Amino acid sequence: MAVSREHRGDYYRLPDCAEDSPPEEEEEEELLVHVTEGLKDSWHHIKNLDNFFAKIYHFHQKNGFACMMLSDVFELVQFLFVVTFTTFLFCCVEYDVLFANRPVNHTQPGGGLAPDRGKVTLPDAILPTPQCVQRIQASGWIIFLLVMAATFWLYRLGKVLCSLLGYWEIRAFYTKALKIPSDQLCSCSWWEVQARLISLQREQPMCVHKRELTELDVHHRILRFRNYLVAMVNKSLLPVRFRLPLLGEVVFLTQGLKYNLELLFFWGPGSLFQGKWNLQPQYKRSGARLQLARRLGRTMLLLGVANLLLCPFILVWQVLYAFFSYTEVLKREPGSLGARRWSLYGRLYLRHFNELDHELQARLSRGYKPASKYMNSFTSPLLTVLAKNVGFFAGSILAVLIALTVYDEDVLTVQHILTTLTLLGLIVTVARSFIPDEHMVWCPEQLLQCVLAHIHYIPDHWQGSAHKSETREEMAQLFQYKAVFILEELLSPIVTPFLLIFALRAKALDIIDFFRNFSVEVVGVGDICSFAQLDIRNHGNPQWLSQGRTEASVYQQAENGKTELSLVHFAITNPRWQPPPESSLFIGHLKEKVQQDAAHASPAQRLLAEAPFSTSLLSDEGLSTMPDALLASVLGHPILAAGTLVPQAERHLLAHPGSTAGAAASILASLSCSQLPRRNYPVGENSVYRSDTTLLGDSVAPPESRQLPLTRSAVLSEFASAEMSLHAIYMHELHQQQQQPQPPAPSPAPSQCSAQAQAAASARPSCVRSQDLLLGGWEEEEAPSPAQQRERETC
């Protein structure tokens, strides 16, 4: 397929292609589904399955009806409290009296009024109710804001009431249809809920277009719009990167901007979708692309103007909410704003296609500590010296003031003494954050490898550049300070309108082309992002083990191996899913490659692969310690394989097919022959690497089987996470080897010494016992005899 040369930046346009959609006769035939008598209920032939499956998922993740109801009710109460308390602070408090700038007139026993120079109480600073109401009525702006707040609160109240009815219906669905009582919901994993949901479709058809649902169909329903956003971030289509003076390249994506993008593309009044699951027909044809781009640009302009008009009100709410949420935390833990969190852009950049929220959250939570260690390993000597001295001076003054307050508490009555104590404590905390740990070891490459094991995606130019400040700055875009997150959210009402009006409008035509070229209709599901189909043939990247199995052009390929890694992740977390033929061939090729590299692994790599299994058998915790040990053996292996103890001439023997890739392949190969929990599965079930077992099999037991304990399900989930981490490390290593071809090893001319060495090597036994190996994988030399010493000197 020819690709147009006209492009903007890195994004190419693809000519329109014919959509493969079933004829209307086939659709009508699919509608005739037999419904078993006795199972007819309000859950068969559901019209909006997207909303229904999303409610089922959120009901499980939010722990049932009571938790969801209380969350919605307290959200209403919280909004009411913020509005009421803010109005009270503005109109009902006499601040001159509170700050003791004006004496208080108290009534004396004789009936007269006299100024009281004593302590001021809170009732003295609070105005009477009639005077407070009079102040509110005298301000037109306050009345206008209160009316808007009341209107929004009533709208939210109506939505909450409707949601409560929906929650109650989902509760009945769990109890009656899925046979999961409310008291057992917290001990039931999502994979079991999904398996019961798929089994229920065979008995009571919820979807009228398909007789059977697959795991991929359920994920498509829940993540239809999220997959589009992940693909748009992967293809660098959304204008979220900017180069600013003094700041360099920054990424700006906030909750407010994301909400506007979803409103614009998916479910707003002028969105591209109709009925929440079908792309409007005119967007599927290339003939009117310019007209549709102009229409989308006008919609973006109107939405930006609306955001600009609402900017003052949204900004006030953001400031008030941030003040009430973080002021107490800042006073109690001043260093909390220096902590880091995964940014919203990072969550979309690092997310697999068809990855549910709890899977993403668990994966990023595992990568939090390695990412924090990596970011904290970068220190500035100049800032360290300044921080030590600033901390010393501020700490000295703080110590004296604390000692004085301990000696005499009347010191606290001195004006601004509490403010001084608070500021000095904040300065000391901030200064200590710039002082590195004296026991820290500088190993950025290994730390970044640990981060990769959990987040699964890093740019190619990060490999070998983990020590550079540019890599750290790019990592900070994914793993930002909490203070930066709060600042971006506060600036969002101001910046978002201009992004919609100027930056996003320039991408209108590319966005129209994207939705047309990367939307595919699936029977029983509707229009979805074609990347979410995990189709290697149409979206694979030849540089990610898809050579010869993909027909995708540069425009159609997903970046950073997103299709391949997403396919492996989905197959691991859903072992009963049957991938399409091209994807099955890719999984088979990956299996063969892992077995091949494991067979050629060095003895040290095989020894490290067997260590976690023996350690877990000797441990009191058993299999629960194995997932961490599997990753630790691989992540610690490069130091052993490429260390300075190995002679330079022998390193190439240990580095083939790559130290980290060989270790990961050895671990993955050892999984298939280990005594892990297993069960018999029907013939034809998918497995990413193992041919006889799946780690997550027991956690997705069929509905008729007994429910697994949550602890065992969690252990199996940890095994699946460890396996995916190993695959991510292995595939990234092979990708780097493919981009950087290894030079052929030099072949020295044969000499007398080399001939004698070869003869000695041939005389050695071909199999070396593991207890005769050092950690480096080479034998310990014995002291040479005098004859051997003279022979070496002669050579």
Side-chain angles (χ1 to χ4, degrees), residues 671-702:
L671 286 176
S672 61
C673 57
S674 63
Q675 299 298 322
L676 296 179
R678 65 185 66 193
R679 58 180 295 150
N680 295 324
Y681 297 104
V683 178
E685 288 191 355
N686 174 55
S687 173
V688 174
Y689 169 70
R690 301 166 303 280
S691 59
D692 55 349
T693 181
T694 51
L695 296 179
L696 212 58
D698 287 338
S699 64
V700 289

Side-chain angles (χ1 to χ4, degrees), residues 71-85:
S71 297
D72 288 348
V73 170
F74 277 118
E75 184 179 350
L76 289 175
V77 174
Q78 191 178 81
F79 180 83
L80 191 63
F81 170 79
V82 170
V83 174
T84 305
F85 190 52

Side-chain angles (χ1 to χ4, degrees), residues 452-482:
L452 171 63
H454 298 288
I455 67 176
H456 301 170
Y457 294 100
I458 60 173
D460 294 338
H461 60 273
W462 285 14
Q463 295 283 358
S465 303
H467 60 284
K468 296 183 179 179
S469 59
E470 293 82 1
T471 304
R472 182 186 183 275
E473 292 174 358
E474 293 182 11
M475 181 66 184
Q477 297 173 357
L478 308 177
F479 197 55
Q480 62 182 178
Y481 283 115
K482 194 172 183 178

Side-chain angles (χ1 to χ4, degrees), residues 594-608:
V594 168
Q595 291 175 339
Q596 179 183 0
D597 289 350
H600 292 84
S602 64
Q605 293 168 341
R606 297 194 191 100
L607 180 63
L608 289 172

Side-chain angles (χ1 to χ4, degrees), residues 367-378 440 447 451 479:
Y368 182 86
K369 287 186 177 180
S372 298
K373 290 181 179 179
Y374 173 75
M375 298 300 291
N376 294 335
S377 65
F378 288 82
M440 183 183 66
L447 289 176
V451 175
F479 197 55

Side-chain angles (χ1 to χ4, degrees), residues 453 456 630-631 633-634 663-665 667-668 671 721-731:
H456 301 170
L630 293 174
L631 280 180
S633 62
V634 175
I667 295 291
L668 289 171
L671 286 176
S721 174
E723 184 184 8
M724 182 61 213
S725 297
L726 292 171
H727 277 98
I729 296 173
Y730 176 75
M731 294 174 68

Side-chain angles (χ1 to χ4, degrees), residues 693-747:
T693 181
T694 51
L695 296 179
L696 212 58
D698 287 338
S699 64
V700 289
E704 61 271 14
S705 65
R706 64 181 181 87
Q707 183 174 324
L708 282 174
L710 184 62
T711 53
R712 188 180 181 188
S713 177
V715 170
L716 295 173
S717 178
E718 289 296 324
F719 270 111
S721 174
E723 184 184 8
M724 182 61 213
S725 297
L726 292 171
H727 277 98
I729 296 173
Y730 176 75
M731 294 174 68
H732 272 272
E733 188 75 12
L734 294 185
H735 173 65
Q736 289 297 320
Q737 291 179 15
Q738 186 172 359
Q739 285 191 327
Q740 302 174 0
Q742 297 290 336
S747 54

Side-chain angles (χ1 to χ4, degrees), residues 635-649:
L635 296 175
H637 181 269
I639 297 181
L640 303 176
T644 56
L645 296 176
V646 184
Q648 182 69 28

